[in-house]
Amino acid sequence: MNGIFITIEGPDGAGKTSVIKELGPLLERELRIPLVLTREPGGIPIAEKIRQIILDPKNTEMDERTEALLYAAARRQHLVQKIIPAIESGKLILCDRFVDSSLAYQGAGRKIGMDAVASINQFAIEGVEPNLTLYLDVDSDTGLSRIKQGRSAQDLDRLDTESPVFHQRVRHAYLKIAEENQERIVMIDARESLETVIAYCLAAIKEHFPQVF
Ligand code: TYD
């Protein structure tokens, strides 16, 4: 049996990291197939190195198309080295971010255009799409205040420190992507409590893939 590829998406401060940390063990307990938790950019050594270059706040001179290409390069390597083998061996993969992040952040946030970013990503993924995407929706004011609360200034990466209007463009792009891909994307209100958001995520996964529980 082929595995199941699930991605989790959302603007900065939506709480993806906390959700995945708790959702992982919950799924592990109930699933009848092995779970792989991974993230982008990163997930394997080459992509983690690319991640450091992209997110380093000292790289102020990075061109936006270079940034988009680096995300796509990290994605390609991660897909080939980790995601595809996991799908082929029948696992359930829960991946923190995927192509939708590039469409929202580079396409809309950086204003490269979603079509241009979609085309370099098609080159990178060769048609491998998630079976389900959980989109944690939060408005940019709430999201930004959450990331500032939780971290000191030196913990903020190059994208976290972008302007509020950048983060608004990201959020609006996510809403548009969710609206246009309703068969793949489940939107979850991430202003709710962590427990509630986790319960919604678990319910969405069970509803979509009852065969693995
Ligand atoms: P992430 O590790 O999810 O950030 P955090 O744990 O701080 O929420 O992602 C790092 C940053 O990279 C985040 O600001 C979003 C950005 N990003 C893009 O701009 N494009 C992409 O394709 C991906 C995968 C991430």
PDB file of all heavy atoms in Angstrom, residues 10-13 16-17 39-41 51 54-55 67 71-72 75 96-103 105-106 121 147 151 157-160 166-167, ligand 1:
ATOM      1  N   GLY A  10       0.674  27.217   7.643  1.00  0.00           N
ATOM      2  CA  GLY A  10       0.097  28.355   8.340  1.00  0.00           C
ATOM      3  C   GLY A  10       1.093  29.490   8.435  1.00  0.00           C
ATOM      4  O   GLY A  10       2.295  29.283   8.282  1.00  0.00           O
ATOM      5  N   PRO A  11       0.582  30.695   8.695  1.00  0.00           N
ATOM      6  CA  PRO A  11       1.466  31.843   8.858  1.00  0.00           C
ATOM      7  C   PRO A  11       2.309  31.694  10.126  1.00  0.00           C
ATOM      8  O   PRO A  11       1.986  30.870  10.988  1.00  0.00           O
ATOM      9  CB  PRO A  11       0.508  33.035   9.012  1.00  0.00           C
ATOM     10  CG  PRO A  11      -0.854  32.535   8.751  1.00  0.00           C
ATOM     11  CD  PRO A  11      -0.836  31.058   8.882  1.00  0.00           C
ATOM     12  N   ASP A  12       3.352  32.496  10.248  1.00  0.00           N
ATOM     13  CA  ASP A  12       4.152  32.467  11.479  1.00  0.00           C
ATOM     14  C   ASP A  12       3.251  32.780  12.666  1.00  0.00           C
ATOM     15  O   ASP A  12       2.400  33.665  12.610  1.00  0.00           O
ATOM     16  CB  ASP A  12       5.279  33.498  11.379  1.00  0.00           C
ATOM     17  CG  ASP A  12       6.340  33.040  10.392  1.00  0.00           C
ATOM     18  OD1 ASP A  12       7.100  32.129  10.730  1.00  0.00           O
ATOM     19  OD2 ASP A  12       6.371  33.571   9.260  1.00  0.00           O
ATOM     20  N   GLY A  13       3.428  32.020  13.749  1.00  0.00           N
ATOM     21  CA  GLY A  13       2.632  32.253  14.951  1.00  0.00           C
ATOM     22  C   GLY A  13       1.326  31.485  14.967  1.00  0.00           C
ATOM     23  O   GLY A  13       0.532  31.605  15.903  1.00  0.00           O
ATOM     24  N   LYS A  16       2.000  25.875  14.524  1.00  0.00           N
ATOM     25  CA  LYS A  16       2.272  24.578  13.887  1.00  0.00           C
ATOM     26  C   LYS A  16       3.221  23.713  14.710  1.00  0.00           C
ATOM     27  O   LYS A  16       2.987  22.536  14.882  1.00  0.00           O
ATOM     28  CB  LYS A  16       2.945  24.774  12.525  1.00  0.00           C
ATOM     29  CG  LYS A  16       2.070  25.233  11.416  1.00  0.00           C
ATOM     30  CD  LYS A  16       2.874  25.391  10.131  1.00  0.00           C
ATOM     31  CE  LYS A  16       4.051  26.308  10.254  1.00  0.00           C
ATOM     32  NZ  LYS A  16       5.297  25.791  10.732  1.00  0.00           N
ATOM     33  N   THR A  17       4.300  24.348  15.179  1.00  0.00           N
ATOM     34  CA  THR A  17       5.323  23.575  15.889  1.00  0.00           C
ATOM     35  C   THR A  17       4.745  22.917  17.138  1.00  0.00           C
ATOM     36  O   THR A  17       4.963  21.725  17.376  1.00  0.00           O
ATOM     37  CB  THR A  17       6.512  24.500  16.245  1.00  0.00           C
ATOM     38  OG1 THR A  17       6.844  25.251  15.064  1.00  0.00           O
ATOM     39  CG2 THR A  17       7.725  23.710  16.691  1.00  0.00           C
ATOM     40  N   ARG A  39      10.076  18.211   8.470  1.00  0.00           N
ATOM     41  CA  ARG A  39       9.783  19.633   8.298  1.00  0.00           C
ATOM     42  C   ARG A  39      10.537  20.219   7.113  1.00  0.00           C
ATOM     43  O   ARG A  39      11.542  19.688   6.671  1.00  0.00           O
ATOM     44  CB  ARG A  39      10.191  20.407   9.542  1.00  0.00           C
ATOM     45  CG  ARG A  39      11.708  20.496   9.706  1.00  0.00           C
ATOM     46  CD  ARG A  39      12.071  21.614  10.643  1.00  0.00           C
ATOM     47  NE  ARG A  39      13.521  21.733  10.793  1.00  0.00           N
ATOM     48  CZ  ARG A  39      14.101  22.576  11.616  1.00  0.00           C
ATOM     49  NH1 ARG A  39      13.360  23.351  12.383  1.00  0.00           N
ATOM     50  NH2 ARG A  39      15.410  22.656  11.687  1.00  0.00           N
ATOM     51  N   GLU A  40      10.021  21.348   6.644  1.00  0.00           N
ATOM     52  CA  GLU A  40      10.685  22.119   5.598  1.00  0.00           C
ATOM     53  C   GLU A  40      10.903  23.546   6.065  1.00  0.00           C
ATOM     54  O   GLU A  40      10.073  24.047   6.819  1.00  0.00           O
ATOM     55  CB  GLU A  40       9.791  22.185   4.364  1.00  0.00           C
ATOM     56  CG  GLU A  40       9.781  20.929   3.561  1.00  0.00           C
ATOM     57  CD  GLU A  40       9.405  21.216   2.126  1.00  0.00           C
ATOM     58  OE1 GLU A  40       9.018  22.362   1.826  1.00  0.00           O
ATOM     59  OE2 GLU A  40       9.515  20.308   1.326  1.00  0.00           O
ATOM     60  N   PRO A  41      11.896  24.257   5.608  1.00  0.00           N
ATOM     61  CA  PRO A  41      13.026  23.689   4.896  1.00  0.00           C
ATOM     62  C   PRO A  41      13.867  22.869   5.858  1.00  0.00           C
ATOM     63  O   PRO A  41      14.073  23.284   6.986  1.00  0.00           O
ATOM     64  CB  PRO A  41      13.786  24.929   4.391  1.00  0.00           C
ATOM     65  CG  PRO A  41      13.416  26.022   5.351  1.00  0.00           C
ATOM     66  CD  PRO A  41      12.026  25.718   5.803  1.00  0.00           C
ATOM     67  N   ARG A  51      18.583  25.406   4.833  1.00  0.00           N
ATOM     68  CA  ARG A  51      17.744  26.151   5.784  1.00  0.00           C
ATOM     69  C   ARG A  51      18.552  27.224   6.521  1.00  0.00           C
ATOM     70  O   ARG A  51      18.106  28.357   6.682  1.00  0.00           O
ATOM     71  CB  ARG A  51      17.127  25.176   6.785  1.00  0.00           C
ATOM     72  CG  ARG A  51      16.287  25.852   7.874  1.00  0.00           C
ATOM     73  CD  ARG A  51      15.851  24.861   8.957  1.00  0.00           C
ATOM     74  NE  ARG A  51      15.110  25.552   9.994  1.00  0.00           N
ATOM     75  CZ  ARG A  51      13.779  25.664  10.022  1.00  0.00           C
ATOM     76  NH1 ARG A  51      13.053  25.107   9.102  1.00  0.00           N
ATOM     77  NH2 ARG A  51      13.176  26.335  10.989  1.00  0.00           N
ATOM     78  N   ILE A  54      19.150  30.150   4.261  1.00  0.00           N
ATOM     79  CA  ILE A  54      17.937  30.950   3.977  1.00  0.00           C
ATOM     80  C   ILE A  54      17.531  31.789   5.185  1.00  0.00           C
ATOM     81  O   ILE A  54      17.143  32.937   5.048  1.00  0.00           O
ATOM     82  CB  ILE A  54      16.717  30.079   3.612  1.00  0.00           C
ATOM     83  CG1 ILE A  54      17.003  29.085   2.495  1.00  0.00           C
ATOM     84  CG2 ILE A  54      15.550  30.966   3.201  1.00  0.00           C
ATOM     85  CD1 ILE A  54      15.820  28.137   2.222  1.00  0.00           C
ATOM     86  N   LEU A  55      17.574  31.171   6.370  1.00  0.00           N
ATOM     87  CA  LEU A  55      16.968  31.845   7.530  1.00  0.00           C
ATOM     88  C   LEU A  55      17.943  32.721   8.320  1.00  0.00           C
ATOM     89  O   LEU A  55      17.523  33.431   9.232  1.00  0.00           O
ATOM     90  CB  LEU A  55      16.319  30.800   8.452  1.00  0.00           C
ATOM     91  CG  LEU A  55      15.131  30.040   7.831  1.00  0.00           C
ATOM     92  CD1 LEU A  55      14.562  29.025   8.818  1.00  0.00           C
ATOM     93  CD2 LEU A  55      14.028  30.995   7.378  1.00  0.00           C
ATOM     94  N   GLU A  67      16.030  33.226  -2.880  1.00  0.00           N
ATOM     95  CA  GLU A  67      15.348  32.636  -1.722  1.00  0.00           C
ATOM     96  C   GLU A  67      14.341  31.570  -2.185  1.00  0.00           C
ATOM     97  O   GLU A  67      14.318  30.446  -1.659  1.00  0.00           O
ATOM     98  CB  GLU A  67      14.633  33.745  -0.943  1.00  0.00           C
ATOM     99  CG  GLU A  67      13.869  33.252   0.278  1.00  0.00           C
ATOM    100  CD  GLU A  67      13.116  34.392   0.955  1.00  0.00           C
ATOM    101  OE1 GLU A  67      13.767  35.254   1.575  1.00  0.00           O
ATOM    102  OE2 GLU A  67      11.867  34.431   0.857  1.00  0.00           O
ATOM    103  N   TYR A  71      14.486  27.475  -1.341  1.00  0.00           N
ATOM    104  CA  TYR A  71      13.405  26.693  -0.728  1.00  0.00           C
ATOM    105  C   TYR A  71      13.041  25.510  -1.629  1.00  0.00           C
ATOM    106  O   TYR A  71      12.822  24.396  -1.152  1.00  0.00           O
ATOM    107  CB  TYR A  71      12.159  27.556  -0.500  1.00  0.00           C
ATOM    108  CG  TYR A  71      12.177  28.374   0.771  1.00  0.00           C
ATOM    109  CD1 TYR A  71      12.184  29.767   0.750  1.00  0.00           C
ATOM    110  CD2 TYR A  71      12.160  27.750   2.024  1.00  0.00           C
ATOM    111  CE1 TYR A  71      12.180  30.513   1.919  1.00  0.00           C
ATOM    112  CE2 TYR A  71      12.156  28.489   3.193  1.00  0.00           C
ATOM    113  CZ  TYR A  71      12.168  29.872   3.135  1.00  0.00           C
ATOM    114  OH  TYR A  71      12.164  30.606   4.290  1.00  0.00           O
ATOM    115  N   ALA A  72      12.976  25.791  -2.947  1.00  0.00           N
ATOM    116  CA  ALA A  72      12.612  24.709  -3.873  1.00  0.00           C
ATOM    117  C   ALA A  72      13.701  23.640  -3.912  1.00  0.00           C
ATOM    118  O   ALA A  72      13.402  22.442  -3.999  1.00  0.00           O
ATOM    119  CB  ALA A  72      12.348  25.284  -5.264  1.00  0.00           C
ATOM    120  N   ARG A  75      13.489  21.583  -0.823  1.00  0.00           N
ATOM    121  CA  ARG A  75      12.273  20.742  -0.952  1.00  0.00           C
ATOM    122  C   ARG A  75      12.550  19.528  -1.829  1.00  0.00           C
ATOM    123  O   ARG A  75      12.150  18.413  -1.508  1.00  0.00           O
ATOM    124  CB  ARG A  75      11.162  21.619  -1.558  1.00  0.00           C
ATOM    125  CG  ARG A  75       9.867  20.912  -1.853  1.00  0.00           C
ATOM    126  CD  ARG A  75       8.762  21.943  -2.029  1.00  0.00           C
ATOM    127  NE  ARG A  75       8.628  22.733  -0.825  1.00  0.00           N
ATOM    128  CZ  ARG A  75       8.597  24.076  -0.791  1.00  0.00           C
ATOM    129  NH1 ARG A  75       8.637  24.788  -1.904  1.00  0.00           N
ATOM    130  NH2 ARG A  75       8.513  24.709   0.361  1.00  0.00           N
ATOM    131  N   ASP A  96       5.837  19.482   8.239  1.00  0.00           N
ATOM    132  CA  ASP A  96       5.653  20.881   8.621  1.00  0.00           C
ATOM    133  C   ASP A  96       6.075  21.756   7.437  1.00  0.00           C
ATOM    134  O   ASP A  96       7.265  21.885   7.171  1.00  0.00           O
ATOM    135  CB  ASP A  96       6.553  21.116   9.858  1.00  0.00           C
ATOM    136  CG  ASP A  96       6.390  22.485  10.468  1.00  0.00           C
ATOM    137  OD1 ASP A  96       5.751  23.347   9.851  1.00  0.00           O
ATOM    138  OD2 ASP A  96       6.928  22.691  11.579  1.00  0.00           O
ATOM    139  N   ARG A  97       5.102  22.273   6.685  1.00  0.00           N
ATOM    140  CA  ARG A  97       5.261  23.118   5.495  1.00  0.00           C
ATOM    141  C   ARG A  97       5.632  22.325   4.245  1.00  0.00           C
ATOM    142  O   ARG A  97       6.318  21.323   4.297  1.00  0.00           O
ATOM    143  CB  ARG A  97       6.300  24.232   5.679  1.00  0.00           C
ATOM    144  CG  ARG A  97       5.981  25.198   6.828  1.00  0.00           C
ATOM    145  CD  ARG A  97       6.873  26.444   6.750  1.00  0.00           C
ATOM    146  NE  ARG A  97       6.598  27.397   7.805  1.00  0.00           N
ATOM    147  CZ  ARG A  97       5.561  28.254   7.807  1.00  0.00           C
ATOM    148  NH1 ARG A  97       4.751  28.278   6.789  1.00  0.00           N
ATOM    149  NH2 ARG A  97       5.369  29.081   8.813  1.00  0.00           N
ATOM    150  N   PHE A  98       5.171  22.869   3.086  1.00  0.00           N
ATOM    151  CA  PHE A  98       5.514  22.311   1.771  1.00  0.00           C
ATOM    152  C   PHE A  98       5.286  23.426   0.746  1.00  0.00           C
ATOM    153  O   PHE A  98       5.424  24.616   1.087  1.00  0.00           O
ATOM    154  CB  PHE A  98       4.663  21.038   1.522  1.00  0.00           C
ATOM    155  CG  PHE A  98       5.127  20.159   0.390  1.00  0.00           C
ATOM    156  CD1 PHE A  98       6.392  19.599   0.383  1.00  0.00           C
ATOM    157  CD2 PHE A  98       4.288  19.879  -0.703  1.00  0.00           C
ATOM    158  CE1 PHE A  98       6.817  18.783  -0.658  1.00  0.00           C
ATOM    159  CE2 PHE A  98       4.711  19.060  -1.743  1.00  0.00           C
ATOM    160  CZ  PHE A  98       5.967  18.516  -1.717  1.00  0.00           C
ATOM    161  N   VAL A  99       4.906  23.082  -0.480  1.00  0.00           N
ATOM    162  CA  VAL A  99       4.825  24.084  -1.561  1.00  0.00           C
ATOM    163  C   VAL A  99       3.928  25.281  -1.218  1.00  0.00           C
ATOM    164  O   VAL A  99       4.245  26.421  -1.578  1.00  0.00           O
ATOM    165  CB  VAL A  99       4.320  23.417  -2.867  1.00  0.00           C
ATOM    166  CG1 VAL A  99       4.091  24.459  -3.955  1.00  0.00           C
ATOM    167  CG2 VAL A  99       5.307  22.358  -3.338  1.00  0.00           C
ATOM    168  N   ASP A 100       2.825  25.053  -0.500  1.00  0.00           N
ATOM    169  CA  ASP A 100       1.927  26.181  -0.181  1.00  0.00           C
ATOM    170  C   ASP A 100       2.675  27.289   0.553  1.00  0.00           C
ATOM    171  O   ASP A 100       2.358  28.474   0.385  1.00  0.00           O
ATOM    172  CB  ASP A 100       0.739  25.718   0.677  1.00  0.00           C
ATOM    173  CG  ASP A 100      -0.143  24.719  -0.059  1.00  0.00           C
ATOM    174  OD1 ASP A 100      -0.296  24.838  -1.293  1.00  0.00           O
ATOM    175  OD2 ASP A 100      -0.678  23.806   0.604  1.00  0.00           O
ATOM    176  N   SER A 101       3.675  26.920   1.370  1.00  0.00           N
ATOM    177  CA  SER A 101       4.468  27.951   2.064  1.00  0.00           C
ATOM    178  C   SER A 101       5.197  28.832   1.058  1.00  0.00           C
ATOM    179  O   SER A 101       5.252  30.056   1.212  1.00  0.00           O
ATOM    180  CB  SER A 101       5.519  27.316   2.986  1.00  0.00           C
ATOM    181  OG  SER A 101       4.921  26.825   4.163  1.00  0.00           O
ATOM    182  N   SER A 102       5.762  28.216   0.027  1.00  0.00           N
ATOM    183  CA  SER A 102       6.476  29.018  -0.976  1.00  0.00           C
ATOM    184  C   SER A 102       5.524  29.917  -1.757  1.00  0.00           C
ATOM    185  O   SER A 102       5.841  31.057  -2.077  1.00  0.00           O
ATOM    186  CB  SER A 102       7.234  28.114  -1.954  1.00  0.00           C
ATOM    187  OG  SER A 102       8.398  27.603  -1.358  1.00  0.00           O
ATOM    188  N   LEU A 103       4.320  29.379  -2.067  1.00  0.00           N
ATOM    189  CA  LEU A 103       3.342  30.205  -2.794  1.00  0.00           C
ATOM    190  C   LEU A 103       2.976  31.425  -1.952  1.00  0.00           C
ATOM    191  O   LEU A 103       2.915  32.553  -2.452  1.00  0.00           O
ATOM    192  CB  LEU A 103       2.082  29.394  -3.118  1.00  0.00           C
ATOM    193  CG  LEU A 103       2.285  28.147  -3.984  1.00  0.00           C
ATOM    194  CD1 LEU A 103       0.967  27.410  -4.178  1.00  0.00           C
ATOM    195  CD2 LEU A 103       2.875  28.526  -5.347  1.00  0.00           C
ATOM    196  N   TYR A 105       4.602  32.701   0.966  1.00  0.00           N
ATOM    197  CA  TYR A 105       5.694  33.583   1.423  1.00  0.00           C
ATOM    198  C   TYR A 105       6.476  34.215   0.266  1.00  0.00           C
ATOM    199  O   TYR A 105       6.722  35.409   0.274  1.00  0.00           O
ATOM    200  CB  TYR A 105       6.672  32.816   2.329  1.00  0.00           C
ATOM    201  CG  TYR A 105       6.170  32.600   3.728  1.00  0.00           C
ATOM    202  CD1 TYR A 105       5.297  31.554   4.026  1.00  0.00           C
ATOM    203  CD2 TYR A 105       6.557  33.429   4.771  1.00  0.00           C
ATOM    204  CE1 TYR A 105       4.834  31.342   5.311  1.00  0.00           C
ATOM    205  CE2 TYR A 105       6.097  33.225   6.067  1.00  0.00           C
ATOM    206  CZ  TYR A 105       5.244  32.177   6.331  1.00  0.00           C
ATOM    207  OH  TYR A 105       4.786  31.979   7.607  1.00  0.00           O
ATOM    208  N   GLN A 106       6.896  33.378  -0.704  1.00  0.00           N
ATOM    209  CA  GLN A 106       7.691  33.954  -1.794  1.00  0.00           C
ATOM    210  C   GLN A 106       6.773  34.533  -2.876  1.00  0.00           C
ATOM    211  O   GLN A 106       6.998  35.642  -3.361  1.00  0.00           O
ATOM    212  CB  GLN A 106       8.643  32.901  -2.398  1.00  0.00           C
ATOM    213  CG  GLN A 106       9.894  32.622  -1.569  1.00  0.00           C
ATOM    214  CD  GLN A 106       9.598  31.994  -0.226  1.00  0.00           C
ATOM    215  OE1 GLN A 106       8.912  30.967  -0.151  1.00  0.00           O
ATOM    216  NE2 GLN A 106      10.089  32.605   0.841  1.00  0.00           N
ATOM    217  N   ASN A 121       8.373  25.220  -8.426  1.00  0.00           N
ATOM    218  CA  ASN A 121       8.073  24.120  -7.493  1.00  0.00           C
ATOM    219  C   ASN A 121       7.586  22.875  -8.223  1.00  0.00           C
ATOM    220  O   ASN A 121       7.862  21.760  -7.788  1.00  0.00           O
ATOM    221  CB  ASN A 121       7.090  24.577  -6.424  1.00  0.00           C
ATOM    222  CG  ASN A 121       7.833  25.262  -5.302  1.00  0.00           C
ATOM    223  OD1 ASN A 121       8.409  24.590  -4.445  1.00  0.00           O
ATOM    224  ND2 ASN A 121       7.896  26.581  -5.343  1.00  0.00           N
ATOM    225  N   ILE A 147       4.607  35.196  18.047  1.00  0.00           N
ATOM    226  CA  ILE A 147       6.036  34.878  17.853  1.00  0.00           C
ATOM    227  C   ILE A 147       6.919  35.818  18.670  1.00  0.00           C
ATOM    228  O   ILE A 147       7.970  35.422  19.135  1.00  0.00           O
ATOM    229  CB  ILE A 147       6.512  34.819  16.373  1.00  0.00           C
ATOM    230  CG1 ILE A 147       6.254  36.101  15.618  1.00  0.00           C
ATOM    231  CG2 ILE A 147       5.956  33.636  15.639  1.00  0.00           C
ATOM    232  CD1 ILE A 147       6.872  36.087  14.218  1.00  0.00           C
ATOM    233  N   ARG A 151       9.655  34.403  21.913  1.00  0.00           N
ATOM    234  CA  ARG A 151      11.091  34.350  21.610  1.00  0.00           C
ATOM    235  C   ARG A 151      11.793  35.670  21.864  1.00  0.00           C
ATOM    236  O   ARG A 151      11.191  36.727  21.778  1.00  0.00           O
ATOM    237  CB  ARG A 151      11.287  34.033  20.116  1.00  0.00           C
ATOM    238  CG  ARG A 151      10.862  32.646  19.787  1.00  0.00           C
ATOM    239  CD  ARG A 151      11.034  32.408  18.326  1.00  0.00           C
ATOM    240  NE  ARG A 151       9.826  31.780  17.795  1.00  0.00           N
ATOM    241  CZ  ARG A 151       9.627  31.529  16.513  1.00  0.00           C
ATOM    242  NH1 ARG A 151      10.514  31.879  15.623  1.00  0.00           N
ATOM    243  NH2 ARG A 151       8.521  30.944  16.131  1.00  0.00           N
ATOM    244  N   ASP A 157      13.934  34.525  13.035  1.00  0.00           N
ATOM    245  CA  ASP A 157      14.672  34.307  11.793  1.00  0.00           C
ATOM    246  C   ASP A 157      14.374  35.420  10.786  1.00  0.00           C
ATOM    247  O   ASP A 157      13.622  36.345  11.062  1.00  0.00           O
ATOM    248  CB  ASP A 157      14.425  32.889  11.248  1.00  0.00           C
ATOM    249  CG  ASP A 157      12.985  32.679  10.796  1.00  0.00           C
ATOM    250  OD1 ASP A 157      12.413  33.604  10.181  1.00  0.00           O
ATOM    251  OD2 ASP A 157      12.438  31.598  11.050  1.00  0.00           O
ATOM    252  N   ARG A 158      14.996  35.300   9.576  1.00  0.00           N
ATOM    253  CA  ARG A 158      14.920  36.364   8.577  1.00  0.00           C
ATOM    254  C   ARG A 158      13.488  36.609   8.095  1.00  0.00           C
ATOM    255  O   ARG A 158      13.159  37.708   7.654  1.00  0.00           O
ATOM    256  CB  ARG A 158      15.828  35.984   7.389  1.00  0.00           C
ATOM    257  CG  ARG A 158      16.494  37.151   6.694  1.00  0.00           C
ATOM    258  CD  ARG A 158      17.584  36.678   5.744  1.00  0.00           C
ATOM    259  NE  ARG A 158      17.129  35.610   4.884  1.00  0.00           N
ATOM    260  CZ  ARG A 158      16.399  35.794   3.792  1.00  0.00           C
ATOM    261  NH1 ARG A 158      16.054  36.998   3.418  1.00  0.00           N
ATOM    262  NH2 ARG A 158      16.019  34.767   3.068  1.00  0.00           N
ATOM    263  N   LEU A 159      12.625  35.588   8.170  1.00  0.00           N
ATOM    264  CA  LEU A 159      11.238  35.764   7.732  1.00  0.00           C
ATOM    265  C   LEU A 159      10.360  36.309   8.859  1.00  0.00           C
ATOM    266  O   LEU A 159       9.492  37.140   8.633  1.00  0.00           O
ATOM    267  CB  LEU A 159      10.661  34.432   7.225  1.00  0.00           C
ATOM    268  CG  LEU A 159      10.982  33.918   5.816  1.00  0.00           C
ATOM    269  CD1 LEU A 159      10.220  34.715   4.777  1.00  0.00           C
ATOM    270  CD2 LEU A 159      12.432  33.854   5.471  1.00  0.00           C
ATOM    271  N   ASP A 160      10.654  35.850  10.095  1.00  0.00           N
ATOM    272  CA  ASP A 160       9.878  36.337  11.255  1.00  0.00           C
ATOM    273  C   ASP A 160       9.960  37.858  11.361  1.00  0.00           C
ATOM    274  O   ASP A 160       9.026  38.517  11.784  1.00  0.00           O
ATOM    275  CB  ASP A 160      10.454  35.776  12.569  1.00  0.00           C
ATOM    276  CG  ASP A 160      10.252  34.278  12.730  1.00  0.00           C
ATOM    277  OD1 ASP A 160       9.292  33.747  12.156  1.00  0.00           O
ATOM    278  OD2 ASP A 160      11.051  33.646  13.450  1.00  0.00           O
ATOM    279  N   PHE A 166       3.934  42.381   5.095  1.00  0.00           N
ATOM    280  CA  PHE A 166       4.423  41.130   4.487  1.00  0.00           C
ATOM    281  C   PHE A 166       3.594  39.959   5.035  1.00  0.00           C
ATOM    282  O   PHE A 166       3.073  39.131   4.285  1.00  0.00           O
ATOM    283  CB  PHE A 166       5.916  40.945   4.810  1.00  0.00           C
ATOM    284  CG  PHE A 166       6.500  39.616   4.394  1.00  0.00           C
ATOM    285  CD1 PHE A 166       7.087  39.459   3.140  1.00  0.00           C
ATOM    286  CD2 PHE A 166       6.475  38.514   5.248  1.00  0.00           C
ATOM    287  CE1 PHE A 166       7.629  38.233   2.748  1.00  0.00           C
ATOM    288  CE2 PHE A 166       7.005  37.286   4.866  1.00  0.00           C
ATOM    289  CZ  PHE A 166       7.585  37.140   3.616  1.00  0.00           C
ATOM    290  N   HIS A 167       3.452  39.911   6.358  1.00  0.00           N
ATOM    291  CA  HIS A 167       2.721  38.800   6.976  1.00  0.00           C
ATOM    292  C   HIS A 167       1.229  38.826   6.609  1.00  0.00           C
ATOM    293  O   HIS A 167       0.603  37.777   6.502  1.00  0.00           O
ATOM    294  CB  HIS A 167       2.948  38.793   8.494  1.00  0.00           C
ATOM    295  CG  HIS A 167       4.352  38.370   8.844  1.00  0.00           C
ATOM    296  ND1 HIS A 167       4.754  37.059   8.832  1.00  0.00           N
ATOM    297  CD2 HIS A 167       5.455  39.092   9.148  1.00  0.00           C
ATOM    298  CE1 HIS A 167       6.044  36.981   9.140  1.00  0.00           C
ATOM    299  NE2 HIS A 167       6.494  38.206   9.337  1.00  0.00           N
TER     300      HIS A 167
HETATM  301  P1  TYD B   1       9.263  27.274  10.125  1.00  0.00           P
HETATM  302  O1  TYD B   1      10.370  26.367  10.528  1.00  0.00           O
HETATM  303  O2  TYD B   1       7.917  26.676   9.961  1.00  0.00           O
HETATM  304  O3  TYD B   1       9.225  28.500  11.113  1.00  0.00           O
HETATM  305  P2  TYD B   1       8.796  28.577  12.597  1.00  0.00           P
HETATM  306  O4  TYD B   1       9.172  27.267  13.260  1.00  0.00           O
HETATM  307  O5  TYD B   1       9.618  29.768  12.999  1.00  0.00           O
HETATM  308  O6  TYD B   1       7.327  28.805  12.534  1.00  0.00           O
HETATM  309  O7  TYD B   1       9.649  27.986   8.771  1.00  0.00           O
HETATM  310  C1  TYD B   1      10.706  28.891   8.740  1.00  0.00           C
HETATM  311  C2  TYD B   1      10.362  30.091   7.893  1.00  0.00           C
HETATM  312  O8  TYD B   1      10.499  29.760   6.518  1.00  0.00           O
HETATM  313  C3  TYD B   1       8.961  30.606   8.101  1.00  0.00           C
HETATM  314  O9  TYD B   1       9.012  31.990   8.357  1.00  0.00           O
HETATM  315  C4  TYD B   1       8.287  30.373   6.771  1.00  0.00           C
HETATM  316  C5  TYD B   1       9.409  30.325   5.806  1.00  0.00           C
HETATM  317  N1  TYD B   1       9.181  29.528   4.578  1.00  0.00           N
HETATM  318  C6  TYD B   1       9.056  30.168   3.358  1.00  0.00           C
HETATM  319  O10 TYD B   1       9.114  31.407   3.288  1.00  0.00           O
HETATM  320  N2  TYD B   1       8.891  29.439   2.216  1.00  0.00           N
HETATM  321  C7  TYD B   1       8.850  28.073   2.236  1.00  0.00           C
HETATM  322  O11 TYD B   1       8.700  27.428   1.177  1.00  0.00           O
HETATM  323  C8  TYD B   1       8.985  27.405   3.523  1.00  0.00           C
HETATM  324  C9  TYD B   1       8.958  25.903   3.591  1.00  0.00           C
HETATM  325  C10 TYD B   1       9.151  28.167   4.662  1.00  0.00           C
END
